[in-house]
Amino acid sequence: MPGANTGLTRYSSLNDINTENVSKLQPKFTFSMGVDRGEESAPLVIGSTLYVVTPYPNIIYALDLSKPGAPMKWKYEPHPLAASQGVACCDVVNRGVSFANGRLFLNTLDGNTVAVDANTGAEIWRTQMGNINQGETMTMAPLVAKDKVIVGDSGGEMGVRGWIAALDQGSGKVLWKAFNTGPDKDVLIGTGFNSFYPQFQGKDLGVTTWPPGMWEQGGGTVWGWVSYDPELNMVYYGTSNPGPWNSSMRPGDNLWTAGIFARDADTGQARWFYQLSPHDVSDYDAVNECILLDMNWNGKDRKVLVHPDRNGYVYIIDREKGEVLAANPFVPITSSQTVDLMSGRLIYNQAKAPKVDQEMKDICPAPPGGKDWQPSSFSEQTGLLYIPHNNLCMDITERDVGYIAATPYVGADVHMKAGPGGHRGEMTAWDIQAGKAVWKINESFPVWSGALATAGGVVFYGTMAGWFKAVDAKTGALLWQYKTGSGIIGQPTTWRGPDGNQYVSILSGVGGWAGAIVAGGLDKRDGTAALGFVNAVKDLPEHTTKGGSLYVFSVQ
């Protein structure tokens, strides 16, 4: 699965490719995806077959690794509704398929979850989960937890109502569905709910922390990563921003948006919740990965989740009860002052609070956050977390906006720009215990690709200019790089092929929110395009072009 395991560590125990020989990496084969939108998915290898999925139209390709050049074994075409492209907020991406029991599980842009036979490509079942007529799409990679497939919706910028659901792996039947706004019965909050902080205790807070009726278009979608602890039998996931971006229209904490839920995997019943950005004012979705680690914290063994959030802090949270153990900034922050560990509340910087019809300048981080969806990797070898992320700030003016189903529901004019130092991205090695960076690599553009750490002491990541890089996990020293045909926003994976050799794979194809100026052919003169991202990357078309190819490398 994307993430390598249900704890989402993205760490490989393979060490054939290591710091001594990684400089000898050479491309072994490439494969054209036939689509030139943002390629964000992770190539998966099961046995002697490599599986990869495209952005819309969400075609799955199976490649035979046992034969020279890895020819296509089959392809599966789900034929999602073309109209779904028009309601996708930030490119028509897909973040990957997951595998279990001979089946691949896929979410399509038009809101279907599909099971496909991994040997033949035949569709086994299809369940409609989202409704594009309400602005719902689906871009996240499903998570397999025991006999269930966990999925969620996208569309917070369309004013949809976020949810997460569990489908039966065998039949596709919906076993439970929990909304992230609204009354407790819809959110699946019952007697087993016991959040650590008192502000999350009370009846129907998903209604009362909103102006009347606004929770119905409240966002809180689940388009990022879901993790699972089989011992506790709990799934963990983040909820997105509240709708609209115009925060003055929705006084209150706007529960249960911009936070993390822990739920019983069998029933969906909520066990605890923690809100990272109460009354979010900057589009700080909390959908980033929750990496599950067991570690000694201040002399006590703890089951923790590590979450680098869009609001700019790396959170360490006790995943049994939802207590925040630490929250340290990993990027420059002006939007808030600190996280109060006693109350659990983010303390906003009121001097930077957005206002209606008044431009507020130099708010950091910008809406894509200190880090967006691009997943981190934890190395069991070094004990460090490798965070691919952004260095972006913004100027914002809030505007009045009305809700019309399946249309943008934002209410803000945003101009993003480079953060301090003038570079727009970084790859950071983070010491979880010390709460500080060990090393940083500055990149011109946001580092919008995932990270991969290996037992060979190497960390892989890609840049939006198209470079695929290998760096020393301990020092950050550049060991190898290869220029691909387009900007990289995909997730590197490594695997042992049927010939016994270790390989590394990555998708090249710029796009997503960060690369929409290229993939969507947007006019760089309109700085507010792509919800303000165009202003920050006006020069990207001078460094890369559209593309869509799989690259596979080895040292053999």
Side-chain angles (χ1 to χ4, degrees), residues 169 230 267 287 293 314 364 384 396 420 455 533 548:
Q169 195 186 114
T267 65
V287 300
L293 302 174
V314 176
C364 313
L384 300 177
I396 182 173
F533 218 133

Side-chain angles (χ1 to χ4, degrees), residues 177-193:
K177 183 176 183 179
F179 288 94
N180 298 319
T181 64
D184 290 351
K185 63 180 176 58
D186 292 358
V187 186
L188 299 189
I189 290 178
T191 56
F193 183 73

